[in-house]
Amino acid sequence: MTGPSPIDDKRLRFDNFGDNDLFSKKPRLPAMGWNSWNAFGSGNTEELTKAMIMKIKELELDKLGYTYVVLDDGCYRPGRVNGHLQADDVKFPSGFKAMADLVHTQGLKFGMYNDIGTKLCSGAEVGIYGFEKTDCEDYIKWEIDFIKVDNCYYMWDNATFANPENAKYSYAPNIKSIAVGGRIYDAAEAVITGTRASVKDGYVTSIGTFDGTAPDHSPSGLRSSELIFDVEAAEDGMEDMHVTYATGAEEGVGQWLQIAAEDNIIFDSLLPATGSPEDFETSQSIPVNLKKGINKIRIMNHRRQENTLHSYTEIRRELENAGDRDIVFSICEWGKTQPQNWGHKVGDSWRILNDITFQVGSDGDHGTASWESDYTTSITSQYNKAVIMDKYAGLGKGWNDPDMLVIGMNGIDMTMYLSHMAMWCMMNSPLMLGLDLRRVNKGDDIYNIISNKELIALDQDPLGVQAKRIFSTAGSSEPDKEYIRDNKRIDILAKPLANGDIALGFFNLDQVIRDDDISTDIDTILKALDNKAVSTDALKKAASFMVKDLITGVVYETPERTFNSGTLAACGCKVIRISPVT
Amino acid sequence: MTTEEFISELCGAAGMEFDGVFERGRKEGWLEAGDVLFKDRPIKRRDAARILHMYLLKVMKTEDLDINGAKELHDLYDCRICANHIAQVYLRGIMDAKDIKRGGGFLIFDPDGEDSDDANTDFIRRLISLTADR
């Protein structure tokens, strides 16, 4: 393991992230099912999984769309046997194929878990790195329908449990200048794209990509920085270029440098290490082919994103051998490498942050979740980021994944459960139940929330357009783009639906009752949706509207073109479906 | 101290039979397959935290504490799988944090670190004295 693979396929390059050209992807709606992690953590077993399958059938959750049964971390023997994965013989004594068969005989779909690194997050030494072909052959033999792939112990980034010094692959060195054609160009005078890099003491640092694992950074806009020099050449021809640089192995300063002349990459490798991040040296000669006139020389490192995409692509490529078997590919790199930029090329969904809870349950303990936290571990932390990521999601692209549902866990109440469900449905998030289903009975409060057909229909609406935030009482001028983390507010989300209706959600994120009674009107909604509504004309010309409250079930017709939130309970919501009456 | 030695110490302190403890612990859900497969390896702090926490949960039937108090550990959320284990043993005073800033004030748990035999023995002693008080 000497370093990340060369990237010979241009489709994996940053410049081509926008192209959807790697695989022939089936347009699919967000996956729905049950995942073992939030319910049982590493303590999931065959017996527990069987009990969940039986409850899915008893509650008829499969008829509502919850069809995937996914075994998360903790299910494998922690070492390979003759190079192959094997089930933990105490937890899953019958093995994975038997588990898959059981799931399939119940008309459900079977999901598993792995990791692009050398180990799983649990520490089990069965990460898929180097075993992509073998493992995917086994997964196909086991007839999986879904795979979630994590990012611990990753070799080429400072991911969880990876060597922190792997950051050397993720960032360019600090750059003081380049010399080309007999002229020196100061980095401090060059153009910096994006907001990640900055000038410090006469050099440029942090040339690379924001780490999106924690909730600190917005997902909007350019999430990486390059340093661009305008190099003038008197005539066409080769020149020697030298870079004055200083290396590190930490977030913000690395050792891997990419250089492109316009869009041609001319260097993509580690530079020799310097004494410290402020100990500058001059590189060996790097030949560059210049054209007469101004040449844009790009100093960059997009490897954080490119390496991760490459690793997921290696797996996806092997899964293509499944033939007609349709396998959902769930990317779980926690938003670290801004997967909203590249996830659509390879995956069906991509996690946007670290976990929604770190206090998962076990048999007899529901685990604990939160409405609000200063890290990723809450419903609102996940929502606040996902709600401004609608432009990245869609049919044929994939879905933003704000993590599995925490409905049923301790620490949050029924109002929060309901808003959580409604948020996830409005945002076209995968709906993975994460509770011990043995506590649920038909008709009880939790059942009524997770089985709300009207909300699920929003998530699974065939138009496949994630709701857009069109207003926030936080006062944003760009509510669909601005990253708002202060939860003392109400948001309005609008979502166009395939039959021409509009779903409208009012979400009180505040932990106190709010009687603001905010409103929006049909013209504002249509303008904000920017022609994504199917029946814009019908909505504009409607003489009245049928309005259905998707939580209370109340239906009424109104000539009013304005829709109000009314009083919202603490952490409460109101979600309505608006149909034009012509 | 290896994982096996750690578990042996725990058995001794808790008055449990060591013979058959791996099978028993796995069935009861407080030991993992890795504890058996890699029993000869030096035990990492996160594995010590996991075993002690799961012993509290599964054997002593102790309820978890709210983990917010452990947020002062700067590396708490580095580990999706062990954050709760770490928080529970830290908040109960079973395992200590490490202060890595000169002058103090920057606490980490160092989940991938290893402790001396004496320190590991002391963690077990603290766990047993906690449960003995109940």
Side-chain angles (χ1 to χ4, degrees), chain A residues 146-172:
Chain A
F146 179 108
I147 189 159
K148 168 183 171 180
V149 184
D150 222 324
N151 188 27
C152 289
Y153 294 96
Y154 189 54
M155 303 74 58
W156 319 127
D157 203 350
N158 57 350
T160 297
F161 295 136
N163 183 347
E165 294 190 354
N166 288 352
K168 70 183 177 187
Y169 299 114
S170 303
Y171 280 90

mmCIF file of all heavy atoms in Angstrom, chain A residues 146-172:
data_model
loop_
_atom_site.group_PDB
_atom_site.id
_atom_site.type_symbol
_atom_site.label_atom_id
_atom_site.label_comp_id
_atom_site.label_asym_id
_atom_site.label_seq_id
_atom_site.Cartn_x
_atom_site.Cartn_y
_atom_site.Cartn_z
ATOM 1 N N PHE A 146 -28.905 -4.690 -1.351
ATOM 2 C CA PHE A 146 -28.572 -3.349 -0.829
ATOM 3 C C PHE A 146 -27.226 -3.482 -0.140
ATOM 4 O O PHE A 146 -26.950 -4.478 0.536
ATOM 5 C CB PHE A 146 -29.651 -2.953 0.194
ATOM 6 C CG PHE A 146 -29.469 -1.620 0.872
ATOM 7 C CD1 PHE A 146 -30.302 -0.554 0.550
ATOM 8 C CD2 PHE A 146 -28.517 -1.424 1.859
ATOM 9 C CE1 PHE A 146 -30.172 0.674 1.193
ATOM 10 C CE2 PHE A 146 -28.379 -0.201 2.501
ATOM 11 C CZ PHE A 146 -29.216 0.846 2.173
ATOM 12 N N ILE A 147 -26.381 -2.477 -0.308
ATOM 13 C CA ILE A 147 -25.164 -2.451 0.505
ATOM 14 C C ILE A 147 -24.850 -1.026 0.939
ATOM 15 O O ILE A 147 -24.911 -0.088 0.142
ATOM 16 C CB ILE A 147 -23.962 -3.105 -0.212
ATOM 17 C CG1 ILE A 147 -22.804 -3.238 0.768
ATOM 18 C CG2 ILE A 147 -23.559 -2.345 -1.473
ATOM 19 C CD1 ILE A 147 -21.777 -4.266 0.376
ATOM 20 N N LYS A 148 -24.563 -0.917 2.227
ATOM 21 C CA LYS A 148 -24.138 0.362 2.805
ATOM 22 C C LYS A 148 -22.634 0.251 3.011
ATOM 23 O O LYS A 148 -22.167 -0.719 3.612
ATOM 24 C CB LYS A 148 -24.863 0.575 4.134
ATOM 25 C CG LYS A 148 -24.317 1.713 4.984
ATOM 26 C CD LYS A 148 -25.077 1.790 6.312
ATOM 27 C CE LYS A 148 -24.426 2.746 7.273
ATOM 28 N NZ LYS A 148 -25.154 2.829 8.564
ATOM 29 N N VAL A 149 -21.893 1.232 2.511
ATOM 30 C CA VAL A 149 -20.436 1.140 2.589
ATOM 31 C C VAL A 149 -19.879 2.351 3.339
ATOM 32 O O VAL A 149 -20.039 3.495 2.919
ATOM 33 C CB VAL A 149 -19.809 1.010 1.189
ATOM 34 C CG1 VAL A 149 -18.297 0.827 1.305
ATOM 35 C CG2 VAL A 149 -20.410 -0.183 0.443
ATOM 36 N N ASP A 150 -19.207 2.052 4.429
ATOM 37 C CA ASP A 150 -18.721 3.042 5.390
ATOM 38 C C ASP A 150 -17.327 3.541 5.004
ATOM 39 O O ASP A 150 -16.799 3.189 3.943
ATOM 40 C CB ASP A 150 -18.721 2.390 6.788
ATOM 41 C CG ASP A 150 -19.240 3.319 7.863
ATOM 42 O OD1 ASP A 150 -18.981 4.529 7.776
ATOM 43 O OD2 ASP A 150 -19.890 2.828 8.807
ATOM 44 N N ASN A 151 -16.693 4.307 5.877
ATOM 45 C CA ASN A 151 -15.465 5.039 5.508
ATOM 46 C C ASN A 151 -14.414 5.000 6.609
ATOM 47 O O ASN A 151 -13.500 5.825 6.605
ATOM 48 C CB ASN A 151 -15.865 6.491 5.181
ATOM 49 C CG ASN A 151 -14.739 7.320 4.609
ATOM 50 O OD1 ASN A 151 -13.823 6.789 3.986
ATOM 51 N ND2 ASN A 151 -14.786 8.615 4.826
ATOM 52 N N CYS A 152 -14.562 4.080 7.587
ATOM 53 C CA CYS A 152 -13.551 4.030 8.655
ATOM 54 C C CYS A 152 -12.258 3.412 8.115
ATOM 55 O O CYS A 152 -12.264 2.727 7.106
ATOM 56 C CB CYS A 152 -14.066 3.186 9.829
ATOM 57 S SG CYS A 152 -15.393 3.969 10.759
ATOM 58 N N TYR A 153 -11.185 3.670 8.813
ATOM 59 C CA TYR A 153 -9.879 3.082 8.483
ATOM 60 C C TYR A 153 -9.525 3.263 7.014
ATOM 61 O O TYR A 153 -8.940 2.369 6.392
ATOM 62 C CB TYR A 153 -9.873 1.578 8.827
ATOM 63 C CG TYR A 153 -9.998 1.269 10.297
ATOM 64 C CD1 TYR A 153 -11.230 0.971 10.852
ATOM 65 C CD2 TYR A 153 -8.872 1.271 11.128
ATOM 66 C CE1 TYR A 153 -11.354 0.681 12.207
ATOM 67 C CE2 TYR A 153 -8.986 0.976 12.484
ATOM 68 C CZ TYR A 153 -10.228 0.680 13.005
ATOM 69 O OH TYR A 153 -10.347 0.396 14.349
ATOM 70 N N TYR A 154 -9.887 4.410 6.472
ATOM 71 C CA TYR A 154 -9.583 4.653 5.063
ATOM 72 C C TYR A 154 -8.114 5.049 4.916
ATOM 73 O O TYR A 154 -7.571 5.781 5.742
ATOM 74 C CB TYR A 154 -10.511 5.740 4.516
ATOM 75 C CG TYR A 154 -10.416 5.910 3.021
ATOM 76 C CD1 TYR A 154 -10.585 4.824 2.171
ATOM 77 C CD2 TYR A 154 -10.163 7.157 2.451
ATOM 78 C CE1 TYR A 154 -10.499 4.970 0.801
ATOM 79 C CE2 TYR A 154 -10.076 7.311 1.084
ATOM 80 C CZ TYR A 154 -10.242 6.213 0.264
ATOM 81 O OH TYR A 154 -10.154 6.351 -1.102
ATOM 82 N N MET A 155 -7.518 4.563 3.885
ATOM 83 C CA MET A 155 -6.070 4.682 3.741
ATOM 84 C C MET A 155 -5.621 6.055 3.258
ATOM 85 O O MET A 155 -4.492 6.464 3.501
ATOM 86 C CB MET A 155 -5.555 3.633 2.742
ATOM 87 C CG MET A 155 -5.879 2.207 3.084
ATOM 88 S SD MET A 155 -7.633 1.803 2.805
ATOM 89 C CE MET A 155 -7.863 2.160 1.085
ATOM 90 N N TRP A 156 -6.501 6.751 2.535
ATOM 91 C CA TRP A 156 -6.023 7.944 1.831
ATOM 92 C C TRP A 156 -6.658 9.220 2.354
ATOM 93 O O TRP A 156 -6.708 10.230 1.660
ATOM 94 C CB TRP A 156 -6.273 7.797 0.318
ATOM 95 C CG TRP A 156 -5.986 6.439 -0.205
ATOM 96 C CD1 TRP A 156 -6.811 5.650 -0.931
ATOM 97 C CD2 TRP A 156 -4.772 5.678 -0.053
ATOM 98 N NE1 TRP A 156 -6.210 4.462 -1.229
ATOM 99 C CE2 TRP A 156 -4.952 4.456 -0.704
ATOM 100 C CE3 TRP A 156 -3.545 5.919 0.592
ATOM 101 C CZ2 TRP A 156 -3.981 3.458 -0.741
ATOM 102 C CZ3 TRP A 156 -2.572 4.925 0.561
ATOM 103 C CH2 TRP A 156 -2.780 3.724 -0.107
ATOM 104 N N ASP A 157 -7.160 9.181 3.557
ATOM 105 C CA ASP A 157 -7.708 10.403 4.152
ATOM 106 C C ASP A 157 -7.689 10.216 5.668
ATOM 107 O O ASP A 157 -7.550 9.096 6.160
ATOM 108 C CB ASP A 157 -9.149 10.644 3.652
ATOM 109 C CG ASP A 157 -9.559 12.112 3.749
ATOM 110 O OD1 ASP A 157 -8.818 12.904 4.361
ATOM 111 O OD2 ASP A 157 -10.623 12.458 3.203
ATOM 112 N N ASN A 158 -7.853 11.307 6.367
ATOM 113 C CA ASN A 158 -7.834 11.213 7.826
ATOM 114 C C ASN A 158 -9.230 10.886 8.362
ATOM 115 O O ASN A 158 -9.771 11.580 9.216
ATOM 116 C CB ASN A 158 -7.294 12.520 8.446
ATOM 117 C CG ASN A 158 -8.097 13.737 8.023
ATOM 118 O OD1 ASN A 158 -8.943 13.638 7.136
ATOM 119 N ND2 ASN A 158 -7.846 14.875 8.643
ATOM 120 N N ALA A 159 -9.800 9.822 7.837
ATOM 121 C CA ALA A 159 -11.138 9.383 8.244
ATOM 122 C C ALA A 159 -11.077 8.764 9.642
ATOM 123 O O ALA A 159 -9.996 8.582 10.206
ATOM 124 C CB ALA A 159 -11.662 8.364 7.240
ATOM 125 N N THR A 160 -12.252 8.441 10.177
ATOM 126 C CA THR A 160 -12.311 7.837 11.504
ATOM 127 C C THR A 160 -11.414 6.607 11.577
ATOM 128 O O THR A 160 -11.497 5.721 10.724
ATOM 129 C CB THR A 160 -13.762 7.422 11.820
ATOM 130 O OG1 THR A 160 -14.554 8.598 11.845
ATOM 131 C CG2 THR A 160 -13.854 6.732 13.166
ATOM 132 N N PHE A 161 -10.583 6.573 12.593
ATOM 133 C CA PHE A 161 -9.647 5.471 12.867
ATOM 134 C C PHE A 161 -8.517 5.359 11.857
ATOM 135 O O PHE A 161 -7.654 4.497 11.994
ATOM 136 C CB PHE A 161 -10.351 4.112 12.958
ATOM 137 C CG PHE A 161 -11.286 4.016 14.101
ATOM 138 C CD1 PHE A 161 -12.535 3.459 13.947
ATOM 139 C CD2 PHE A 161 -10.921 4.483 15.346
ATOM 140 C CE1 PHE A 161 -13.407 3.374 15.005
ATOM 141 C CE2 PHE A 161 -11.786 4.410 16.412
ATOM 142 C CZ PHE A 161 -13.032 3.852 16.231
ATOM 143 N N ALA A 162 -8.541 6.179 10.820
ATOM 144 C CA ALA A 162 -7.411 6.174 9.895
ATOM 145 C C ALA A 162 -6.275 6.960 10.546
ATOM 146 O O ALA A 162 -6.478 7.712 11.504
ATOM 147 C CB ALA A 162 -7.816 6.805 8.571
ATOM 148 N N ASN A 163 -5.097 6.786 10.024
ATOM 149 C CA ASN A 163 -3.968 7.564 10.506
ATOM 150 C C ASN A 163 -4.239 9.047 10.227
ATOM 151 O O ASN A 163 -4.456 9.424 9.069
ATOM 152 C CB ASN A 163 -2.706 7.099 9.762
ATOM 153 C CG ASN A 163 -1.464 7.804 10.253
ATOM 154 O OD1 ASN A 163 -1.534 8.795 10.969
ATOM 155 N ND2 ASN A 163 -0.314 7.296 9.856
ATOM 156 N N PRO A 164 -4.243 9.905 11.251
ATOM 157 C CA PRO A 164 -4.531 11.331 11.007
ATOM 158 C C PRO A 164 -3.579 11.946 9.984
ATOM 159 O O PRO A 164 -3.935 12.891 9.287
ATOM 160 C CB PRO A 164 -4.348 11.983 12.383
ATOM 161 C CG PRO A 164 -4.452 10.870 13.364
ATOM 162 C CD PRO A 164 -4.001 9.621 12.669
ATOM 163 N N GLU A 165 -2.388 11.363 9.890
ATOM 164 C CA GLU A 165 -1.413 11.906 8.938
ATOM 165 C C GLU A 165 -1.780 11.609 7.478
ATOM 166 O O GLU A 165 -1.136 12.118 6.564
ATOM 167 C CB GLU A 165 -0.011 11.378 9.258
ATOM 168 C CG GLU A 165 0.487 11.895 10.598
ATOM 169 C CD GLU A 165 1.952 11.602 10.845
ATOM 170 O OE1 GLU A 165 2.567 10.894 10.018
ATOM 171 O OE2 GLU A 165 2.477 12.080 11.854
ATOM 172 N N ASN A 166 -2.818 10.789 7.282
ATOM 173 C CA ASN A 166 -3.304 10.570 5.916
ATOM 174 C C ASN A 166 -3.804 11.856 5.281
ATOM 175 O O ASN A 166 -4.048 11.898 4.074
ATOM 176 C CB ASN A 166 -4.448 9.550 5.894
ATOM 177 C CG ASN A 166 -3.973 8.143 6.165
ATOM 178 O OD1 ASN A 166 -2.781 7.893 6.231
ATOM 179 N ND2 ASN A 166 -4.913 7.232 6.341
ATOM 180 N N ALA A 167 -3.972 12.885 6.091
ATOM 181 C CA ALA A 167 -4.354 14.188 5.531
ATOM 182 C C ALA A 167 -3.335 14.659 4.511
ATOM 183 O O ALA A 167 -3.637 15.522 3.680
ATOM 184 C CB ALA A 167 -4.512 15.216 6.647
ATOM 185 N N LYS A 168 -2.156 14.077 4.541
ATOM 186 C CA LYS A 168 -1.137 14.478 3.550
ATOM 187 C C LYS A 168 -1.597 14.190 2.121
ATOM 188 O O LYS A 168 -1.137 14.828 1.170
ATOM 189 C CB LYS A 168 0.189 13.767 3.823
ATOM 190 C CG LYS A 168 0.208 12.271 3.539
ATOM 191 C CD LYS A 168 1.551 11.674 3.930
ATOM 192 C CE LYS A 168 1.546 10.162 3.705
ATOM 193 N NZ LYS A 168 2.768 9.542 4.241
ATOM 194 N N TYR A 169 -2.504 13.205 1.981
ATOM 195 C CA TYR A 169 -3.025 12.900 0.650
ATOM 196 C C TYR A 169 -4.150 13.856 0.248
ATOM 197 O O TYR A 169 -4.498 13.943 -0.919
ATOM 198 C CB TYR A 169 -3.584 11.467 0.604
ATOM 199 C CG TYR A 169 -2.568 10.398 0.904
ATOM 200 C CD1 TYR A 169 -2.674 9.602 2.042
ATOM 201 C CD2 TYR A 169 -1.493 10.167 0.047
ATOM 202 C CE1 TYR A 169 -1.741 8.616 2.322
ATOM 203 C CE2 TYR A 169 -0.561 9.181 0.321
ATOM 204 C CZ TYR A 169 -0.693 8.413 1.461
ATOM 205 O OH TYR A 169 0.226 7.436 1.729
ATOM 206 N N SER A 170 -4.737 14.502 1.225
ATOM 207 C CA SER A 170 -5.976 15.253 0.991
ATOM 208 C C SER A 170 -5.756 16.736 0.742
ATOM 209 O O SER A 170 -6.681 17.425 0.305
ATOM 210 C CB SER A 170 -6.916 15.099 2.194
ATOM 211 O OG SER A 170 -7.168 13.740 2.425
ATOM 212 N N TYR A 171 -4.599 17.207 1.080
ATOM 213 C CA TYR A 171 -4.328 18.644 0.889
ATOM 214 C C TYR A 171 -3.038 18.844 0.121
ATOM 215 O O TYR A 171 -2.087 18.053 0.245
ATOM 216 C CB TYR A 171 -4.234 19.364 2.245
ATOM 217 C CG TYR A 171 -5.597 19.650 2.795
ATOM 218 C CD1 TYR A 171 -6.231 18.724 3.604
ATOM 219 C CD2 TYR A 171 -6.272 20.809 2.447
ATOM 220 C CE1 TYR A 171 -7.517 18.949 4.066
ATOM 221 C CE2 TYR A 171 -7.548 21.047 2.897
ATOM 222 C CZ TYR A 171 -8.165 20.119 3.710
ATOM 223 O OH TYR A 171 -9.434 20.350 4.150
ATOM 224 N N ALA A 172 -2.995 19.914 -0.647
ATOM 225 C CA ALA A 172 -1.747 20.323 -1.289
ATOM 226 C C ALA A 172 -0.824 20.891 -0.215
ATOM 227 O O ALA A 172 -1.269 21.291 0.863
ATOM 228 C CB ALA A 172 -2.045 21.380 -2.345
#
